[in-house]
Amino acid sequence: MSNHSEEFEKMKVQLHENGYKDKDVTISSGKAMGLGLLYALPFVVIFGLLYRFLLIERAYLSEVGGLSFYIMFIVIIAVSVVIHELLHGIGWAFSSGKGWNVVRFNINAMMPSCACKVALKKKQYLIGVLTPFVILGLGSVLFVFIYPGTISLLTMMVNFIAAGADLVIALNVLKEQDSLIVDHPTEAGYVTFCK
């Protein structure tokens, strides 16, 4: 068992000893990707159509296809994913009031991830979950309007799709009663603790 999982199990035991009952609200990575894509799709379609009808005339279009396009696309994904996970950390560091001590970064299967190591109130947890969507998603829309083109459009699409699973998790959190929420150390989602 990894050190992160051990910390998580110790926290669960402590909360149980204090009279809390837990409920697992995690989803598999495959389901997170599939649902995330569905949740992101309306944003991609709406802003894609706005781009098509309002901005295409002044867009900086790159050749779609060829090695340089694919390298550019891979760089956009890599940079966006790293910034996305960093923004989760910033959101939880800020909302918890405890700084970087509560944040853990991992790399699994060459993909970075971020988790919060402490129990948070619903609003605190939501801030960390939604920070990448708000900053990267809306920032990408602004980027598209300021500098319309292939790069900005791909960046916007990647950032909304990357935040899709976060939207799934956030909607689940909004359904929770007043409870403590602990980010799961290895799965997409969280565990709630209620008295």
Side-chain angles (χ1 to χ4, degrees):
M1 189 184 289
S2 76
N3 190 28
H4 309 309
S5 295
E6 285 173 19
E7 288 174 15
F8 177 72
E9 291 304 322
K10 280 182 191 170
M11 192 182 343
K12 276 176 73 171
V13 168
Q14 284 177 338
L15 287 164
H16 287 155
E17 286 172 355
N18 289 325
Y20 285 91
K21 291 184 169 68
D22 69 280
K23 179 180 74 167
D24 188 296
V25 190
T26 57
I27 52 178
S28 70
S29 55
K31 189 173 181 182
M33 283 183 176
L35 281 173
L37 198 55
L38 278 176
Y39 279 54
L41 203 56
F43 297 98
V44 171
V45 169
I46 289 166
F47 291 114
L49 288 172
L50 284 173
Y51 169 85
R52 173 66 185 95
F53 292 111
L54 300 179
L55 305 170
I56 199 80
E57 300 301 320
R58 60 184 185 93
Y60 301 94
L61 301 175
S62 303
E63 185 74 31
V64 177
L67 185 60
S68 62
F69 172 80
Y70 292 108
I71 290 171
M72 175 188 68
F73 191 46
I74 289 166
V75 168
I76 288 169
I77 292 170
V79 170
S80 294
V81 167
V82 169
I83 294 171
H84 179 107
E85 295 305 326
L86 186 61
L87 286 169
H88 279 309
I90 290 169
W92 283 318
F94 168 77
S95 69
S96 70
K98 297 177 183 172
W100 290 105
N101 297 332
V102 303
V103 177
R104 181 184 61 253
F105 293 99
N106 298 317
I107 294 184
N108 295 327
M110 299 199 29
M111 286 296 289
S113 67
C114 177
C116 186
K117 301 188 288 187
V118 296
L120 298 173
K121 293 179 180 166
K122 189 164 131 173
K123 184 178 175 184
Q124 294 172 311
Y125 187 74
L126 274 173
I127 288 170
V129 169
L130 291 174
T131 301
F133 173 78
V134 172
I135 292 178
L136 285 180
L138 301 181
S140 295
V141 171
L142 193 60
F143 183 38
V144 164
F145 277 86
I146 293 169
Y147 186 83
T150 308
I151 293 172
S152 56
L153 184 64
L154 284 174
T155 302
M156 182 188 72
M157 292 168 74
V158 165
N159 284 315
F160 276 127
I161 291 167
D166 297 336
L167 294 177
V168 174
I169 291 167
L171 286 173
N172 283 334
V173 171
L174 288 171
K175 295 176 199 168
E176 300 295 346
Q177 301 301 314
D178 192 27
S179 58
L180 291 176
I181 298 178
V182 178
D183 202 31
H184 198 282
T186 56
E187 304 290 326
Y190 57 90
V191 178
T192 61
F193 290 86
C194 300
K195 282 197 171 179

